[in-house]
Each structure stands twice: as structure tokens, then as C-alpha cells.
Amino acid sequence: MSGDQPLPGGEPVPEEADEAVFWETPDIYGAYPRLTEDQIARLAELGQRRSMAPNDVLLQEGERCETFFVVLSGTVAVVEDYGTPEEHVLRVHGPGRFIGELGLLHGQVAFYTAVAREPGQVLVVSLDQLRHLVSQDSAIGDVVLRACLGRRALLVGQGAGFRIIGSRYSPDTRRLREFAIRNRLPHRWIDLETDEEAEELLRRFGVGPEETPLVIWRDTTLLRNPSNAELARLIGLPSLPAGNRHGDVLIVGSGPAGLAAAVYAASEGLSTTVVEAMATGGQAATSSRIENLLGFPAGISGAELTERAVLQADKFGARFSIPVEATGLRPKDEDHYVVAFADGSEIAARAVVLATGARYRRLQVPGIERLEGTSVHYSATVYEAQQCRTDPVAVVGGGNSAGQAVLFLAGFAPKVHLLVRGPSLEANMSRYLVDQVERHPRVEVMLHTQVTEVIGQEVLEELDVVDNRTGGHRRLAVRGLFVFTGADPHTEWLAGIIALDSRGFVLTGPEAQEACAYPEVWHGRGRSCMTLETSLPGVFAVGDVRSGSVKRVASAVGEGAMSIHFVHRYLGSTAAHGGTDSSPHTRPKESAWLA
């Protein structure tokens, strides 16, 4: 490896130190735990020992992660851009550490190369063997999952991974950045207007500015304005295998409600498919910390809750596909519904669970559109917060999502202005959040306040806000705006197919039956519409997309779990009334997470 590589603390390693004892990255953030002797012994029962010499490559950047390495002796460096002039060391691990991050658990490609720096031994465990052990040993599972989540966050914060080159004014650039951020994919955005590196890269690849946005990875792969699906395939996000077009339950959407439905359906032997248009976790995955969720007294981040739920559903055999956007729903026969997707594909299922959630409303004020994705955000995660370490920011909204964002951002920014249109926080925010927000020394709560203009050309410079009681205006000097102003449901594709309320949310239960255009469908079945059932028998709605739902993570999880109880009742009643399937299909648990 070349000299002058940076140490974990950021200092370069002098060339004369290359042959000296290598430094090990300290476990400052809990992302680099050292496995105990007992844990290594458990892994050794499944794996094999392998000797390594200096410069042996264990894991190659860009290749699918299929092996879990535990360092027994010697050291292993985690390197980005290995073998190129831009090569640099990200981490160094010694005995007791393991190699891998979140992509390891999901079968994604590696965002770095792992190479031996000092001779020694590693324990080699296949991904299937690791999943087997994790399903049996919760202690090892917790250590591995927490470390992998922490490492992914650090990779994102360092700008590792692929590069997106594009204009901040381009809708396609914003689309690609949002997809990468929401799926927690390590990447770096290079602004066509302001970043000097952009021009050099365009010359190197022989493309013009009009061909942007570009996705570049490892200087060997270039995608011109790729679709979200093309980017997903490059990274290895899950997709449905060809021919898998029938099943017991199709879950559309993968927020907390959809993930809960997937866990319970798959664990009870139903062949389960989950499709998602953007990213697993829905809006909940963008929450920095959820503190009022039962069983998590210290709180849990939305990202960690999402990853745990995805792995749990996968463990029981649920299949995921991202990104797949549903565009239509129709009955196929007496026993199946067909959901059509934007890419022209279709999936048939005996029951459908709608868990498409809701999206935060865009703030409609002058000047905002050109800064969306750069200075204006609709989520508050580590990705956005790292841009706000030295500058004040503003948050618009008065609900729990706004409160959680304020507290999270206050850990980064020197000042956070919370702009609330109403007269108090208590109307829509939980008491525990109100108390923390009002007590925080870096937070200023501004009631009766609305944004009237966003000011700034390349970055946000000021907000013009108005007091809606007096009409008086003032300017706020902020560099980031975070918007949480209510939500609209993802139901455009269901209009005219199932009954919706006046705001577009899905009606269920007695309200759905009353609004049903064909009430005789229920008389013919000899029953009433079940609690979470829509105006189409066998199609259920859960979570934020459902009319009258409680907009809380815990209630969404409860509805998702409860929907599978009603799915079983529906499948049983279908069989009893002459359906061709007399019992739910079961299939072997194909996921290696289940032994």
C-alpha cells in the first residue's frame, strides 16, 4: 500500500512508518466491538481458519458480500479506492474484530476493500452460517447488527461509496440523492455548479454537463441519469426473482405497519412478498430517535428499528423488492388479486395489505424549490445533520416528527428555530417531547409563525417569516430548513378502485362497507367487512394510509400484526365459500436466516 495514508484520527502515516506496527482504529462510537472469546468460539464451530499474508485481499470493493471475517491475529485494513491514486485507509482492525457493515447482512456489494496489513489468521464464516448463528444466538446478533449499523452511518458521513454528479437544480439529481439517502447508501454528491472536482470528472469520462446526473463508482462504472431501479441493482438492493409472481400475501409498502405484517405473515407460514417504492422504514426510518415505543426505554433510531424489522422478516422467509412502484390493483379471479407496477411487472396474491404510508407535504413558498435536497430537507437524519454543524437551522412543524428532529439537530447545530403555525406545542406533540424541546438551551420555539419566503441562490441564507397574529415579518439567518408539515397518503393509484375518504386515505371496516359501490359483495359472503378490510374483500389497509389511523409507530406496528389475523380469517372464509384454495400456501423457509 502506498505511504502517507491517513490514520483513523485523520493524520497521514509517514512512508517510513509503513513497516512499523500498524495502528488500530479505536472503538469510539461502538461500531468496532471486539468479540469475546466465547463468541469467537461459537463462530469457530461453523467457520474455518485461514492464514493471511500482507496485501492479501479478503473482500473486494464492488463485489457482493458473502463472507464474514473475524481477525484472529495480525491486522486488516479497510480501504477505499484500493489500487488507485485515490486509495486511502478508512479503518484498521486487529484481533477480535470482524470485517463487514450493513451490506453484509443484506447481501449488498462491498463499499470498500479489506486487505491484510500484517500477517496473521482470520476466521472465515459463510453468510449462511452467520445467519444461522445469529438466529440462534441473540447476543452475537445484537453485537453484529449494532456494529453494522454504526459502520454504515460512518461510511455515509465520510462520503464513501459511489458519487452522484449533478446540478442542485436538476430534479433527477434530487431524485437520485433522495433515493440514496433514504436507503442509507454510502455516496458523495458532487455539485455541478460549485464543486471543482465535477469538471475534472466530466473530462475524465468524456461526458458533457448536459448528460448529468451521473453515478460513478470505482472509476470503472458510469451510469447516465439512471433510474432508481438501475441504481438499486448496481448496489445490490433486493429484487424479486423472475417467475416469483404468486403468493399468499402481497404487502405494498414497508414502513412499520408493512414490516410488522411481513414478520407475522412469514412467521406463520404464509408466502409473503413486500414491495417498496422508495426505501424500507417509510417516514419512521427518517426519525433520529423514537422514545415512546414500547420496549425501548432508551429510545431507538428509526434506521435501527427498520433494519431490525427487515432482518426479522427476512429471517422468516419474507421476500423484498426495492424499488417497485404500484400503479394498479384488480381482481384476477375469485381467489387472487393482481397488483401492477410501473415497470410493467405484476404480482398475484390471495390477499393484499396496503401499507403505503404517507409523505410529508412540500412547503409551498417562493424560493424553496431550487434549494430542496441541498438546504431544504424533509427528513432529519445523520446525513442531513452533518451539514449543519456550524450554522443555525429552522424546523417547520408542530408534531412529534418535528419535535424529534429539533432535539436531534440541536446536537449538531448551534441554534434551532422551531416554527409552529399554531398557538402551542401541546396540540399535536407528545408531552415528553414538549418538555424536552422547551427546556433545550439551543432551541427557540416560535409560535404563530409561518415561512413566507426562502432566500438564497446556491445555499439557504435567510427565511422570511410572519407572525400570523400581527402580520409582522422578520428575517432568520439559517443555513438549513427541515419541513414536517403534515402528510398526504400514497393512494393516487387506488382512486376509483377502493373507497377513500375526502383526503384520500383508505376507508376500512364499517365505513368501507357503507361506501362500497357493490354492497352485495358482502351479502354474498355472509359476513361484514372486517376492521382493517377495505371495500374490496381480502384487501386490507394498515398504518398511516388508513383513514382514522393513529399516526404513531406503535399503532402502525399493531395494525400490521393484526392485519394478518384478518388475512387468515379471510383466507378461511374464502375456502369455506367455494374458493379453489382450501388452506394457506406454505413454502420452505428459503431465507438462510432461518435454520
Side-chain angles (χ1 to χ4, degrees), residues 167-204:
S167 168
R168 67 181 59 210
Y169 306 114
S170 163
D172 282 318
T173 299
R174 291 198 294 267
R175 168 182 58 80
L176 289 169
R177 293 189 65 218
E178 180 182 12
F179 183 77
I181 290 170
R182 291 288 300 276
N183 282 283
R184 302 170 288 281
L185 300 177
H187 71 285
R188 180 159 58 93
W189 171 49
I190 299 173
D191 189 353
L192 194 62
E193 274 78 28
T194 62
D195 200 318
E196 294 180 359
E197 185 182 357
E199 185 176 350
E200 190 275 328
L201 285 170
L202 293 181
R203 283 199 306 266
R204 185 192 307 177

Side-chain angles (χ1 to χ4, degrees), residues 189-247:
W189 171 49
I190 299 173
D191 189 353
L192 194 62
E193 274 78 28
T194 62
D195 200 318
E196 294 180 359
E197 185 182 357
E199 185 176 350
E200 190 275 328
L201 285 170
L202 293 181
R203 283 199 306 266
R204 185 192 307 177
F205 286 92
V207 296
E210 68 281 358
E211 297 180 78
T212 61
L214 306 175
V215 170
I216 299 175
W217 197 14
R218 297 181 294 139
D219 285 343
T220 60
T221 302
L222 182 145
L223 301 178
R224 289 175 169 84
N225 193 15
S227 67
N228 289 352
E230 289 173 316
L231 179 55
R233 301 295 84 82
L234 175 70
I235 302 305
L237 294 183
S239 60
L240 290 176
N244 176 39
R245 300 304 180 200
H246 291 78

Side-chain angles (χ1 to χ4, degrees), residues 313-371:
D314 181 59
K315 163 185 171 179
F316 290 118
R319 289 174 169 173
F320 287 79
S321 184
I322 306 169
V324 180
E325 181 182 1
T327 57
L329 168 68
R330 70 177 191 276
K332 179 183 180 183
D333 50 42
E334 291 185 2
D335 302 313
H336 292 84
Y337 286 97
V338 170
V339 175
F341 303 100
D343 63 1
S345 63
E346 294 183 339
I347 297 178
R350 302 173 66 208
V352 176
V353 177
L354 303 174
T356 50
R359 65 170 72 87
Y360 287 116
R361 297 190 188 106
R362 263 23 187 193
L363 193 61
Q364 303 296 326
V365 296
I368 195 170
E369 185 175 351
R370 65 174 176 271
L371 297 179

Side-chain angles (χ1 to χ4, degrees), residues 446-466:
M446 302 174 63
L447 303 176
H448 300 284
T449 302
Q450 294 175 252
V451 177
T452 58
E453 185 180 1
V454 173
I455 301 166
Q457 290 299 316
E458 296 183 352
V459 297
L460 176 61
E461 298 173 2
E462 290 183 312
L463 295 179
D464 187 273
V465 300
V466 63

Side-chain angles (χ1 to χ4, degrees), residues 363-368 376 393-397 417-421 446-455 460 462-468 472-476 478 480-485:
L363 193 61
Q364 303 296 326
V365 296
I368 195 170
V376 178
V393 300
V395 175
V396 177
H417 302 274
L418 176 57
L419 313 181
V420 182
R421 181 175 56 183
M446 302 174 63
L447 303 176
H448 300 284
T449 302
Q450 294 175 252
V451 177
T452 58
E453 185 180 1
V454 173
I455 301 166
L460 176 61
E462 290 183 312
L463 295 179
D464 187 273
V465 300
V466 63
D467 186 315
N468 56 31
H473 286 255
R474 62 175 289 194
R475 292 287 181 91
L476 295 179
V478 295
L481 176 62
F482 296 80
V483 182
F484 303 91
T485 54

